Amino acid sequence: MPLFINRDQIFAHQVHLLEHKLRSKEERILELETENAILHLRLAECLGKLRRDHEKETKAQKHHLQQRNAQKITRSALAKLLSEVQAVKQDLSELFAVYLSFSTELEEQSKQLLDKVQQASCSLKGDRGDEVQDLQAVVSALERSLEEERERCRAERQRRKELHNTLVELRGNIRVHCRVRPVLPFDHVPSSTPGSWPALSEEVVSTVSDDTVMVNCIKPGMPVHNKMYEFERVHGPEESQDAVFEEVKPLLTSLLDGYNVCIMAYGQTGSGKTHTMMGSQQLEEHSGGQQRAQPGAQPGAQPGAEQGIIPKAAAELFRMISEKPVYSHTVEVSVMEVYNNEVLDLLAKDAQGNPVEQRCDVITTSNGASQVIALKYQPVRDASEVMQILSRVLKLRAHCPTLVHPDSSRSHLIVTLTISSKSPNALALARRLQSAKKDMQLAAQKEWWSPRCRRANLAARKSSEDHLFASTASSPSRSPSHSPCPSPRRSVSQALFKTKLQLVDLAGSESVGMSGVSGAALWEVSCINRSLSALSDVLGALAEQRPHVPYRNSKLTHLLQDAIGGDAKLLVMLCVSPTQRYVTESLQSLGFGTRARQVQKELPRRKGNPLKVK
């Protein structure tokens, strides 16, 4: 029986198959269009990122070119200024030579004329009186001319000093002052070999001028050889504590302008460092009222005049703050000592309020600043509170009698006054804004911002930001500077701007044979000498501009890293003994000061330059 096939069913089946294929093709077309749209979005995103990267690279190249141009301009200006200073020095030396010859000639002529006047006054009478008056008028004119020449010489010397200070400011060098103490009773020690020459108590270190010190290097059987050392300021044995502080005083003005300042006393044991920094009155108080040997003290001086740099600096600081708006500045004090290469907090107390020995660690923050962990800061309102704290903690400082000094300090003392400013002047505000901008750029190079990093690295960033900006937790809205994630903007108007004044009384360098110590005191001498040697190595590396500076070879240099190699204004006060007995240590101290003057630091941070991490 033949099969009958319905053609309509066949066609319907084929149509159904074709519709199914059509739907499949349409779905495929939709998928391809979706993928195409996604690819277009990715392409647009990549093009935008490429454009932004190109713009950033262009800006970075322009900024680098501007920096190079600025460096070239600065170097040319420094070279021009240096050549002008050299020319002024040459002119001054020629003028000084002319002045010496002219002064000698005038003095000889004046003596001759005076002799003639005396002879004429005895022999001449009557009609010769007019001639005598003429001679006296000539002598008076010569004396006036001599005084004018001396005044011109003094003016030229003052001009040279101002130019030199300007050059030091531009080059960022460390300022070095030298103080020669007077000869004291304990300097008169009988020689081990009677009749030997030179005598141990002979004075061989002397001041030539207000910026030059001379050392007579005397050796038996050898000709006398004089060594000259030049510093920014040289104080002789006759100069008082007030005269020394007047040369240091201008640095304190920089504190309220936004600069960090460090004043450091360096020298051999018994050379007058603690007397220069603290003064004789504070030394007597912390030694229990007993008369302590005071190297550099002037006999018969008033107690107020014998105050050192630290009490005078505290008084001057609060005097300047009193001229500012009320409550615009607050001051905190911290006191540390570096003893046997360990940092000890002298303000630390236990639960009962008794002093306790607390060791602290020194770290380097992300922006290159050194910071002491768990260091106690105590607020102060005037200079008397500062001195009360110091008189209390000085009793805790390590001391030990030696053959050189009956109450020698065996640790490095660091007194830090931290000034928090709520209403900075225009210069400090500009420095704060530039510093915030630089810190933002530095943070942007180290980490990516993301909405998910709400708590990321909060503790690490907080410790590095607190030294520049104080906490504003009392504000109802969180400041961008305290946001857990880096923000493109940073609040500056509500933050505190902090500067610090570091006053350092270094322990004295000494030889084991001369000090006569043994046992535990021998280890103290070893730690002191090693830390001072590390300080000398750091200055040598900075002076030679080596790529690596060994700050971390000692806790002392690590602690003072900001002051030595950072943007702080640093003044080193060299204290030297004048006698032949200590001539070796005096030469070493003067050599240390000469190396310190050769260090060219980065310019003080007026534009918020980030600190270099070594």
Side-chain angles (χ1 to χ4, degrees):
M1 180 177 180
L3 296 174
F4 294 96
I5 300 175
N6 192 343
R7 296 180 64 184
D8 293 336
Q9 291 180 354
I10 295 173
F11 290 149
H13 181 69
Q14 290 178 353
V15 168
H16 177 72
L17 292 176
L18 291 174
E19 287 178 351
H20 179 71
K21 290 182 180 181
L22 180 60
R23 283 195 298 271
S24 300
K25 297 297 182 181
E26 288 177 350
E27 291 176 356
R28 179 58 180 167
I29 289 172
L30 288 176
E31 291 178 357
L32 293 176
E33 287 178 351
T34 304
E35 290 181 1
N36 189 23
I38 293 173
L39 290 176
H40 276 289
L41 289 176
R42 290 182 180 177
L43 179 60
E45 183 180 357
C46 291
L47 289 176
K49 185 177 180 181
L50 181 61
R51 184 171 59 256
R52 289 192 298 272
D53 292 342
H54 181 69
E55 291 176 354
K56 289 182 180 179
E57 184 179 1
T58 304
K59 290 181 181 179
Q61 290 178 354
K62 289 182 180 179
H63 182 65
H64 181 65
L65 184 60
Q66 290 176 356
Q67 284 187 340
R68 290 185 61 184
N69 293 335
Q71 288 179 356
K72 289 181 181 179
I73 294 173
T74 304
R75 288 176 181 173
S76 61
L78 287 176
K80 182 179 179 181
L81 183 60
L82 183 60
S83 61
E84 290 179 357
V85 171
Q86 296 294 339
V88 170
K89 285 185 177 181
Q90 182 66 24
D91 295 342
L92 186 60
S93 61
E94 295 176 358
L95 180 63
F96 188 68
V98 172
Y99 160 74
L100 288 179
S101 60
F102 187 58
S103 174
T104 304
E105 183 179 354
L106 287 179
E107 288 179 357
E108 293 178 355
Q109 291 181 3
S110 178
K111 288 181 181 179
Q112 294 175 2
L113 289 175
L114 285 175
D115 293 339
K116 290 181 180 180
V117 168
Q118 290 177 357
Q119 294 175 3
S121 63
C122 297
S123 59
L124 299 180
K125 295 180 182 179
D127 54 350
R128 303 297 295 277
D130 295 336
E131 186 177 352
V132 172
Q133 292 180 358
D134 293 339
L135 290 175
Q136 290 178 347
V138 171
V139 170
S140 300
L142 290 174
E143 289 179 348
R144 287 195 299 271
S145 177
L146 178 61
E147 187 62 29
E148 290 175 358
E149 290 296 328
R150 287 176 176 171
E151 187 64 27
R152 286 179 58 190
C153 183
R154 283 194 293 268
E156 288 295 332
R157 288 176 65 88
Q158 182 64 26
R159 181 188 173 197
R160 176 198 174 197
K161 182 178 179 180
E162 293 175 356
L163 287 174
H164 178 72
N165 289 336
T166 303
L167 181 61
V168 168
E169 180 75 19
L170 289 175
R171 296 175 64 185
N173 288 31
I174 298 175
R175 297 163 179 81
V176 180
H177 292 189
C178 178
R179 188 181 193 187
V180 183
R181 69 164 174 81
V183 179
L184 298 175
F186 64 81
D187 288 324
H188 300 284
V189 178
S191 176
S192 57
T193 56
S196 63
W197 184 87
L200 295 179
S201 60
E202 182 177 350
E203 192 170 352
V204 295
V205 181
S206 59
T207 57
V208 178
S209 62
D210 60 350
D211 60 356
T212 307
V213 62
M214 181 179 68
V215 181
N216 295 327
C217 300
I218 305 174
K219 294 183 179 180
M222 299 292 291
V224 177
H225 176 62
N226 296 331
K227 290 186 177 181
M228 310 290 288
Y229 296 87
E230 187 176 9
F231 303 105
E232 277 71 26
R233 185 67 168 87
V234 173
H235 302 279
E238 69 283 353
E239 294 198 45
S240 63
Q241 297 277 69
D242 288 335
V244 175
F245 180 72
E246 283 300 318
E247 295 296 328
V248 176
K249 186 177 177 180
L251 284 176
L252 301 179
T253 308
S254 303
L255 278 172
L256 303 185
D257 290 338
Y259 294 103
N260 295 325
V261 176
C262 178
I263 302 173
M264 179 190 306
Y266 179 95
Q268 178 223 353
T269 299
S271 59
K273 300 183 300 301
T274 305
H275 171 75
T276 300
M277 296 302 293
M278 294 298 302
S280 58
Q281 186 177 10
Q282 282 72 25
L283 297 180
E284 293 177 11
E285 290 175 358
H286 103 270
S287 59
Q290 298 178 356
Q291 183 66 25
R292 179 187 175 188
Q294 303 158 11
Q298 298 293 334
Q302 297 296 325
E306 289 302 306
Q307 287 185 345
I309 291 177
I310 293 180
K312 289 181 181 292
E316 177 63 15
L317 175 61
F318 282 99
R319 185 197 66 78
M320 293 188 297
I321 291 178
S322 66
E323 298 175 356
K324 303 294 181 180
V326 181
Y327 304 118
S328 62
H329 295 78
T330 57
V331 182
E332 294 177 323
V333 63
S334 63
V335 186
M336 299 170 283
E337 70 170 349
V338 181
Y339 176 67
N340 289 347
N341 203 31
E342 293 287 341
V343 179
L344 305 179
D345 185 0
L346 297 183
L347 294 182
K349 296 181 180 179
D350 56 12
Q352 289 74 29
N354 299 319
V356 61
E357 181 177 292
Q358 178 176 331
R359 289 178 170 81
C360 302
D361 292 328
V362 184
I363 64 170
T364 301
T365 59
S366 59
N367 61 353
S370 61
Q371 183 178 357
V372 181
I373 301 298
L375 181 64
K376 181 177 177 58
Y377 294 87
Q378 185 165 338
V380 289
R381 292 173 295 180
D382 52 33
S384 62
E385 291 187 6
V386 176
M387 297 317 300
Q388 288 176 4
I389 294 173
L390 291 181
S391 62
R392 183 176 70 249
V393 301
L394 281 177
K395 300 175 182 178
L396 307 176
R397 189 181 182 186
H399 293 84
C400 177
T402 66
L403 296 180
V404 178
H405 198 279
D407 193 15
S408 177
S409 302
R410 314 313 292 169
S411 65
H412 309 294
L413 180 70
I414 299 99
V415 180
T416 304
L417 296 175
T418 304
I419 300 94
S420 301
S421 173
K422 295 181 181 177
S423 58
N425 55 23
L427 175 61
L429 183 59
R431 292 188 63 247
R432 184 195 300 177
L433 290 170
Q434 292 292 340
S435 178
K437 182 178 178 181
K438 291 290 184 180
D439 290 343
M440 284 295 302
Q441 295 175 355
L442 184 63
Q445 295 173 1
K446 291 186 176 181
E447 56 188 357
W448 292 91
W449 183 85
S450 171
R452 299 180 180 177
C453 63
R454 296 174 181 262
R455 299 286 179 183
N457 297 327
L458 176 60
R461 280 197 301 273
K462 184 176 180 182
S463 62
S464 64
E465 290 174 358
D466 282 347
H467 81 288
L468 284 177
F469 298 92
S471 175
T472 56
S474 59
S475 176
S477 62
R478 291 182 62 88
S479 171
S481 64
H482 292 82
S483 174
C485 300
S487 174
R489 297 176 180 266
R490 193 173 206 172
S491 175
V492 180
S493 60
Q494 297 179 357
L496 294 179
F497 186 69
K498 292 190 176 184
T499 56
K500 61 182 178 180
L501 169 63
Q502 287 184 310
L503 302 165
V504 185
D505 180 17
L506 296 175
S509 60
E510 58 186 33
S511 64
V512 177
M514 183 173 293
S515 62
V517 297
S518 60
L522 188 61
W523 174 247
E524 294 175 347
V525 172
S526 175
C527 291
I528 291 172
N529 290 337
R530 280 190 294 174
S531 61
L532 295 177
S533 177
L535 179 60
S536 180
D537 292 340
V538 166
L539 291 177
L542 290 173
E544 297 174 7
Q545 297 182 353
R546 300 177 195 164
H548 172 70
V549 181
Y551 288 116
R552 302 190 183 185
N553 285 0
S554 171
K555 289 290 182 64
L556 175 66
T557 53
H558 195 186
L559 185 64
L560 300 178
Q561 176 178 345
D562 297 346
I564 301 173
D567 62 344
K569 292 187 177 182
L570 173 61
L571 185 145
V572 178
M573 180 67 69
L574 299 177
C575 297
V576 296
S577 303
T579 58
Q580 173 66 28
R581 182 187 181 191
Y582 308 110
V583 66
T584 302
E585 289 76 10
S586 298
L587 288 172
Q588 188 271 335
S589 299
L590 295 172
F592 175 89
T594 302
R595 285 193 300 275
R597 291 190 72 204
Q598 296 172 356
V599 175
Q600 295 187 13
K601 301 172 61 179
E602 60 183 11
L603 294 180
R605 210 162 82 175
R606 283 180 177 270
K607 297 183 179 180
N609 299 329
L611 299 179
K612 297 179 179 178
V613 181
K614 301 294 183 183

